[in-house]
Amino acid sequence: MENENLYGYGRVSTKDQNLDRQIQALLEFGIKKENLFIDKQSGKDFNRQDYQLLKQILKRTTNNILVIKSIDRLGRNYKEIQKEWKELTIDLKTDIVVLDMPILDTRKYKDTMGNFIADIVLQILSFVAENERTNIRTRQAEGIAIAKAKGKQLGRPTIELPTNFSEEYMLWKNGKQTAKATMEHLNLKKSKFYEFVREYEKRNLTSKVS
């Protein structure tokens, strides 16, 4: 690997997800930290900052090898993965190594049959990755529908306007007590208090106009 440039790419969908396993696997393969590119973004497309930066480097250099832990770290859209794979391997002449699937190692397949086998495996894995993504969305939608049917509250619970809001509001508005004291009496946080104030004043203004 003396004359080869090793690059690693890792991705998670959200900032809260952990990248440690991906990074460890890439480092163990022999990739230097400065050649690691990481995105914390959805895999629905390839418009990701670090990935696009990596591609710019691959365009300007030769003898490149791109290493990823699994095919779904590259992306989750079946058609997009196919298109991207061909661009990387053919247009950018970059070898790709998928650690979790040794058959997807383009360094091993330089003949027609090898490329054919790798292409079939890639299509299957890409389809599985996208299908799983679709199934997750379907299960989420079904779960929400079932929860709604059971009358469950989704998201944060709604805070009702306190019954003594009008009385406390007038004391505050007329300067007879501070906003802090009013919030304490109503057991409301600052943001919710002023949200209720806006709604209350808007409703009273509307009723006076009508």
Side-chain angles (χ1 to χ4, degrees):
M1 294 187 184
E2 286 185 21
N3 299 320
E4 296 172 330
N5 301 310
L6 280 175
Y7 298 98
Y9 179 72
R11 182 189 65 81
V12 288
S13 299
T14 68
K15 293 181 180 180
D16 298 327
Q17 289 179 303
N18 196 303
L19 274 159
D20 290 350
R21 283 190 302 169
Q22 290 183 62
I23 292 175
Q24 184 63 32
L26 295 172
L27 291 174
E28 287 177 357
F29 188 85
I31 297 167
K32 297 178 181 178
K33 287 185 178 180
E34 59 266 30
N35 287 343
L36 287 178
F37 293 81
I38 302 296
D39 281 312
K40 293 186 176 183
Q41 194 174 339
S42 168
K44 65 180 180 179
D45 57 43
F46 289 88
N47 187 25
R48 310 175 214 132
Q49 184 174 338
D50 258 34
Y51 182 76
Q52 290 303 321
L53 175 60
L54 171 60
K55 282 185 68 175
Q56 290 303 314
I57 294 173
L58 297 178
K59 287 177 182 178
R60 297 195 301 266
T61 55
T62 57
N63 297 324
N64 298 317
I65 299 174
L66 172 60
V67 184
I68 55 177
K69 191 170 189 306
S70 58
I71 191 65
D72 61 347
R73 296 308 87 197
L74 187 61
R76 286 188 174 276
N77 183 295
Y78 169 64
K79 291 181 180 178
E80 290 291 331
I81 291 175
Q82 292 290 310
K83 179 182 175 183
E84 203 68 20
W85 185 278
K86 289 179 180 178
E87 181 180 353
L88 290 169
T89 57
I90 297 175
D91 298 342
L92 303 184
K93 295 179 173 57
T94 297
D95 276 315
I96 303 177
V97 177
V98 181
L99 298 179
D100 286 356
M101 186 60 62
I103 196 172
L104 289 178
D105 182 345
T106 61
R107 298 173 304 171
K108 299 178 181 178
Y109 307 113
K110 299 301 180 182
D111 60 342
T112 304
M113 181 57 69
N115 289 332
F116 175 71
I117 294 172
D119 190 54
I120 290 176
V121 174
L122 174 64
Q123 289 188 45
I124 294 172
L125 292 177
S126 301
F127 174 77
V128 170
E130 185 181 13
N131 194 52
E132 177 59 22
R133 182 166 166 259
T134 302
N135 288 340
I136 290 173
R137 288 200 303 264
T138 301
R139 288 194 293 269
Q140 288 174 338
E142 290 173 347
I144 291 172
I146 292 171
K148 285 183 177 179
K150 292 182 177 180
K152 289 185 178 180
Q153 177 70 41
L154 299 175
R156 293 183 178 180
T158 303
I159 300 176
E160 299 289 340
L161 184 73
T163 55
N164 59 333
F165 183 83
S166 180
E167 176 185 340
E168 295 293 334
Y169 167 84
M170 291 306 298
L171 290 172
W172 166 68
K173 200 69 174 177
N174 293 329
K176 294 182 179 181
Q177 72 181 16
T178 64
K180 182 179 180 182
T182 306
M183 286 180 238
E184 289 176 352
H185 295 167
L186 295 170
N187 195 28
L188 293 173
K189 291 184 178 180
K190 184 177 180 179
S191 58
K192 199 64 184 177
F193 170 68
Y194 284 106
E195 179 185 330
F196 280 147
V197 167
R198 288 192 296 271
E199 292 177 0
Y200 183 81
E201 291 178 345
K202 182 179 179 181
R203 187 167 63 246
N204 284 350
L205 179 63
T206 302
S207 61
K208 288 179 181 178
V209 173
S210 59

